[in-house]
Amino acid sequence: MNLEPRPPGLQETARSPHASSRALARSSAGASARPYAASAPYLFLLPYFIVTAVFFLYPLGYATVLAFFQTSGPVRRTFVGLENFSYVLNDPDFYKALWNTLLFAVASLFLQLPLSLGLALLLNARQDRLKGFFRLAIFSPNLVGQVFVGILFAMLFTPQYGLFNKLVFALFNTGLQERWLGDPALVMPAVIIASLWLYVGFNMIYFLAALQNIDQSLLEAARIDGAGAWQRFLNVTLPGIAPVATFVVVTSTIGSFQLFELPYTLLRQGYGPNNSGLTIVGYLYQFAFDGADLGTAAAVGWILTLLILGVSLIQIRLSGTTRKDR
Amino acid sequence: MSGLQTFLLVLAGLGLVLFLIRPKLGRAYVRYAMLILVGTLMMLPFVWLISASVKDPDVINDYTFLPPPSVWRSPSVREGDQRVAVDEVTDQALVNEATRVESTINSRNFRDLWTDQQTPQGPVHFSRYIINSLFLSSAATTLGLIFSSMGGYAMAKYRFPGRSGLLAFMLASLTIPGVVLLAPNFEIIYRLGFMDTYAALLIPGCVSVFGIFLFRQAILGIPDDIIEAGRIDGAGEFRIYLTLIMPLVRPMTSAFCLITFLGTWNSFLAPNIFLQSQPKLPLPVALNQLVGVYDQQYGIYLAGTLIAIVPPAILFFALQREFISGLTSGSVKQ
C-alpha cells in the first residue's frame, strides 16, 4: 500500500467530470478508486496507531506477562505462575480495598446519581434566567482537581474547627469533635461526602441534557390523559432518559472502581487508619510504586479489569432488559 | 437551637403555608428554596477557601469564614500566644520578624507563596510551577486537538478496510482501566528515556479514544458534499480536513480544548510518578508537597489552590456553552 500522499497534480489527472458521483458510489461500497484516498485514513490515524501500539497494546501484553512473574529490581524476574493472583486473593488488605471500592461505587450509584437526577429535574422544570446560574454553581466544583479537593476537604473535616464539623453541629447540635479522617468507620463516608460535592454537578449536566431532549408533547399527552406527576416521570421521563442514564451509570461505576486520587490526598498521601481508605487502585499503587512489585501490581490490575468488565456488562444487560420490558 | 436550625425551620414553615394557600406558588417556592440551598452548599467550600487564604495563618481556625470587619485591622496575635521575647534575640532580622505584627486579614499567605521555596533540590520560585502547568496543559491540548481531530475525521468520513473492527477495538479499549497499564508504562517510559521529561506526560496522552469519538461525533454531522466539493476543487485530503472540516466543528474544538486543558491542569498521578526534578513539577504536585507528612503549610497551600483554580475558571466562563454541549454530545445523540 502506498502510504505517501500523492502530489496534488496527480490527483487532478485522475479526476473526470463524474468523479465525485463515482467516488461517492465507491466509498459507500467500501472501496475507493484513488490510491490517495485509500491511504489517507490510515495516515490520519497514524498517531493513534503509534501511541496505541507503544502505550496501550504493548503494556497490555506486558502487564499480562508481568502478572505471572515475580519481579525484584528492574531486571530480575522469575516465573511464578498464578502465585501473584493467589497472593492477592488471600490478602485481607485486598478485601478491605474491594469492600471500600464497592461501598464507594454503591454510594455513587444510589446517592450521587439520584441527587444529580433530582437537581436536573429541579433545574429543568422551567426555562428561566437563574437556570444558568444554578447550573454553574452546582457544576463549578469540577473545575477543581481531585488533589485540591482532597486537601481542601481534609481541612473542612478538621475536628472542632472544620467547616463541615461546624455545619453538622449547627444542624444537629452534635458531631463537632468527630474525627472524620481519623476514625476508621468514618473515613469512607468522608470520601463519599467529598466526592458528592465534586461530582453531583457533573452528572447533573448529563441528565439535564437528556431531559431537554425529551419530547414535550409526550409529557403533555400524558398530562391530558390524566397521568400524575409521578406517573409521568415513571412512564415518560425515565424511559426518555434511559440511554443517557445507562451511559452515566456505567461510566460512573467504572470511575468509582478507579477511585484513588481523592482518598489518597484526603488522607494525606496515605490510606487512612487501618487502611480504612484503601481502594483497589490504592492497593495496586502500593505494590507498584511503594513496594516496586510490578508483578503483583499487574495481577491486581487484571483483577480490577475483570471486575469492571463484569459489572459494566451486567449493568448494560440490565438496562437492556428494562428497556425491552416497557 | 442554633441560628441555622431556626432559619431552616422558618424556611420550611413558609413553604408549607404557601403550599396550603397557593399550591402553584408553593411548588415554585420549594423548587427555588432547594436550588438555593444546594447552590449555597456547593459554594461554601469556595467561600471558605477564599476567606482562609486571606486570613493570617495564626487565626485560620479562629473564625469560620472571615473575621468581623471591626477586627480586620487588629493584630492577629491570639491571646496567650507567646511570641519570641525580643530581648532574647540578638539578630536584628529575627527581631524584626518577631515583632512584625500582621493584621488578621493580610496577604501573608500569598507573599509567602510568591517566593523561592526551599526544596531538597534547591530553591524554586512558585511562578515556575505555574509556568510548567501552563506549558504542559497548553502543549497537551494542542497535541490532543491535532491528533484526535485527525483520527476523528478518518473514522467519520472514510470507508476503509478494517474500519468497523477498529471502531470496536477503540470501544473495547475504553473499558481497560488506565491504572492496569500504569506499572508496565512506567517501565516503557523508563526504557524510552522519557523519565523526568515532559515527553513522558505528553506523548502517551497526545491522542485519546475519547477525543477521537468526540470529533467523530461532530464530523459525522457534516454533509459529504462539502468534502466532495473540496476534492473537485483539487484540495488534498489533509487540506480538506484542515480548511474545510475543522472550521465547521469549532464548538466541539473549544469543548475538547477545555476538557483536555482542565484534565491536564488538574492531573496529579502521572506527573507525580514520572517527574522527579523539582523545577519541572506542575502545580498540583508542587502544592501537594506543601501539605506533606512533615510540612503542613495550610495557609500557603490554600492560597496556591486559589491561584490554581483561576485559569480553568476563566477558560470555563469563556467556553461554558461549548463545554457542556461537548460533554454531553457523546451520550445524548445516540
Side-chain angles (χ1 to χ4, degrees):
Chain A
M1 188 191 303
N2 179 19
L3 283 174
E4 288 293 311
R6 293 235 177 138
L10 270 176
Q11 295 171 37
E12 278 312 304
T13 53
R15 202 164 270 133
S16 71
H18 306 293
S20 82
S21 59
R22 253 198 299 147
L24 254 175
R26 287 218 175 99
S27 70
S28 57
S32 180
R34 284 164 300 159
Y36 185 94
S39 64
Y42 299 107
L43 279 175
F44 277 121
L45 283 163
L46 196 60
Y48 170 75
F49 289 143
I50 294 173
V51 167
T52 305
V54 178
F55 296 105
F56 180 76
L57 282 179
Y58 179 68
L60 197 66
Y62 195 41
T64 317
V65 174
L66 264 182
F68 298 99
F69 280 85
Q70 187 180 42
T71 58
S72 49
V75 203
R76 275 177 52 117
R77 52 191 46 140
T78 28
F79 182 77
V80 291
L82 289 171
E83 223 168 84
N84 288 331
F85 290 93
S86 72
Y87 174 80
V88 169
L89 292 176
N90 285 309
D91 184 7
D93 272 354
F94 171 73
Y95 290 99
K96 187 162 244 172
L98 180 64
W99 166 250
N100 287 338
T101 308
L102 285 178
L103 195 70
F104 184 82
V106 167
S108 56
L109 217 55
F110 294 101
L111 213 64
Q112 184 196 310
L113 293 188
L115 255 171
S116 300
L117 180 58
L119 284 171
L121 285 169
L122 277 179
L123 271 183
N124 193 49
R126 221 157 274 124
Q127 287 288 338
D128 56 44
R129 274 181 207 169
L130 283 173
K131 186 171 169 176
F133 173 77
F134 283 123
R135 191 177 62 185
L136 185 65
I138 297 170
F139 181 80
S140 55
N142 282 280
L143 297 176
V144 192
Q146 277 194 26
V147 185
F148 301 118
V149 174
I151 295 166
L152 183 63
F153 269 74
M155 301 178 73
L156 299 184
F157 282 127
T158 316
Q160 178 102 31
Y161 302 117
L163 179 63
F164 186 78
N165 288 48
K166 282 182 177 172
L167 194 67
V168 168
F169 183 71
L171 281 176
F172 306 110
N173 291 334
T174 176
L176 189 61
Q177 304 291 347
E178 213 66 80
R179 293 173 65 240
W180 286 91
L181 304 175
D183 184 344
L186 292 177
V187 166
M188 279 319 285
V191 172
I192 289 165
I193 289 165
S195 81
L196 273 184
W197 182 72
L198 184 54
Y199 290 121
V200 156
F202 189 76
N203 290 315
M204 181 193 75
I205 298 287
Y206 281 107
F207 284 127
L208 210 50
L211 286 173
Q212 274 156 9
N213 275 17
I214 285 180
D215 193 353
Q216 289 301 311
S217 60
L218 268 179
L219 280 173
E220 204 46 54
R223 199 198 306 272
I224 291 165
D225 286 349
W230 179 243
Q231 277 181 314
R232 283 202 301 274
F233 173 73
L234 225 52
N235 295 316
V236 182
T237 309
L238 218 47
I241 62 167
V244 173
T246 310
F247 172 83
V248 171
V249 164
V250 172
T251 51
S252 78
T253 309
I254 292 177
S256 304
F257 271 96
Q258 301 191 40
L259 178 75
F260 171 65
E261 288 183 19
L262 183 61
Y264 187 66
T265 49
L266 189 65
L267 300 163
R268 310 241 162 83
Q269 310 207 13
Y271 308 100
N274 296 335
N275 279 338
S276 50
L278 187 69
T279 61
I280 297 183
V281 176
Y283 182 73
L284 186 153
Y285 192 89
Q286 272 187 338
F287 281 112
F289 298 103
D290 298 347
D293 184 355
L294 296 182
T296 313
V300 178
W302 274 110
I303 294 171
L304 178 63
T305 307
L306 293 179
L307 268 171
I308 290 178
L309 272 178
V311 171
S312 8
L313 280 180
I314 291 170
Q315 283 175 337
I316 291 169
R317 184 65 57 84
L318 277 179
S319 76
T321 50
T322 49
R323 241 178 291 165
K324 263 172 226 151
D325 285 348
R326 69 179 161 88
Chain B
M1 187 183 283
S2 74
L4 188 62
Q5 284 170 325
T6 324
F7 173 72
L8 287 180
L9 270 180
V10 169
L11 210 63
L14 210 65
L16 198 67
V17 171
L18 260 177
F19 200 75
L20 289 175
I21 309 171
R22 302 271 298 276
K24 210 164 196 175
L25 209 65
R27 224 171 284 154
Y29 170 88
V30 168
R31 186 175 149 245
Y32 276 111
M34 277 162 76
L35 279 176
I36 289 169
L37 278 183
V38 173
T40 312
L41 221 54
M42 302 304 272
M43 285 293 121
L44 270 188
F46 288 115
V47 177
W48 184 87
L49 173 65
I50 293 169
S51 46
S53 65
V54 298
K55 268 188 288 190
D56 191 89
D58 285 345
V59 296
I60 193 168
N61 281 332
D62 290 4
Y63 309 95
T64 310
F65 294 106
L66 285 178
S70 56
V71 297
W72 280 8
R73 300 233 152 266
S74 347
S76 69
V77 188
R78 275 186 284 172
E79 264 179 65
D81 186 6
Q82 287 297 311
R83 296 227 160 187
V84 185
V86 176
D87 47 303
E88 284 173 17
V89 184
T90 46
D91 191 329
Q92 192 55 43
L94 277 179
V95 173
N96 288 343
E97 178 65 26
T99 51
R100 191 184 68 175
V101 176
E102 302 263 8
S103 52
T104 53
I105 296 289
N106 62 42
S107 59
R108 194 170 131 193
N109 290 324
F110 292 94
R111 270 181 281 138
D112 288 350
L113 185 72
W114 203 257
T115 52
D116 281 336
Q117 318 224 303
Q118 295 308 319
T119 71
Q121 298 175 29
V124 181
H125 195 270
F126 181 72
S127 58
R128 178 81 208 206
Y129 305 130
I130 299 183
I131 293 168
N132 291 346
S133 265
L134 281 175
F135 170 76
L136 264 176
S137 309
S138 318
T141 307
T142 315
L143 288 175
L145 174 63
I146 296 169
F147 294 139
S148 296
S149 65
M150 275 166 50
Y153 175 56
M155 295 306 282
K157 288 297 174 196
Y158 287 101
R159 301 279 173 276
F160 55 91
R163 179 177 162 280
S164 52
L166 189 60
L167 200 67
F169 171 78
M170 284 181 176
L171 269 175
S173 73
L174 281 176
T175 61
I176 307 274
V179 285
V180 176
L181 309 175
L182 204 59
N185 259 329
F186 185 79
E187 287 216 14
I188 291 167
I189 297 280
Y190 180 79
R191 284 201 210 144
L192 286 172
F194 287 171
M195 218 58 195
D196 201 27
T197 68
Y198 286 162
L201 305 174
L202 292 176
I203 292 179
C206 76
V207 53
S208 66
V209 172
F210 168 75
I212 289 178
F213 273 29
L214 220 56
F215 280 106
R216 175 177 172 266
Q217 205 72 35
I219 294 171
L220 273 177
I222 298 174
D224 289 343
D225 301 354
I226 290 175
I227 298 164
E228 286 306 322
R231 284 188 184 140
I232 290 168
D233 287 348
E237 299 299 297
F238 189 76
R239 236 183 85 199
I240 292 175
Y241 147 79
L242 197 67
T243 59
L244 290 181
I245 301 297
M246 285 316 280
L248 288 175
V249 292
R250 227 202 167 109
M252 188 55 84
T253 304
S254 18
F256 175 83
C257 286
L258 185 54
I259 294 169
T260 314
F261 190 93
L262 260 180
T264 318
W265 182 268
N266 286 330
S267 78
F268 170 75
L269 201 54
N272 195 34
I273 291 168
F274 294 129
L275 298 179
Q276 282 131 17
S277 4
Q278 192 74 24
K280 288 182 183 170
L281 296 184
L283 215 43
V285 181
L287 278 174
N288 208 44
Q289 291 174 339
L290 292 176
V291 285
V293 183
Y294 306 108
D295 198 11
Q296 305 192 338
Q297 310 178 51
Y298 284 117
I300 304 180
Y301 175 82
L302 291 173
T305 303
L306 199 58
I307 291 175
I309 295 176
V310 173
I314 293 173
L315 261 183
F316 179 76
F317 281 119
L319 301 173
Q320 202 200 141
R321 199 172 293 274
E322 289 89 350
F323 178 61
I324 287 168
S325 73
L327 259 189
T328 48
S329 69
S331 62
V332 177
K333 294 180 206 152
Q334 280 181 346

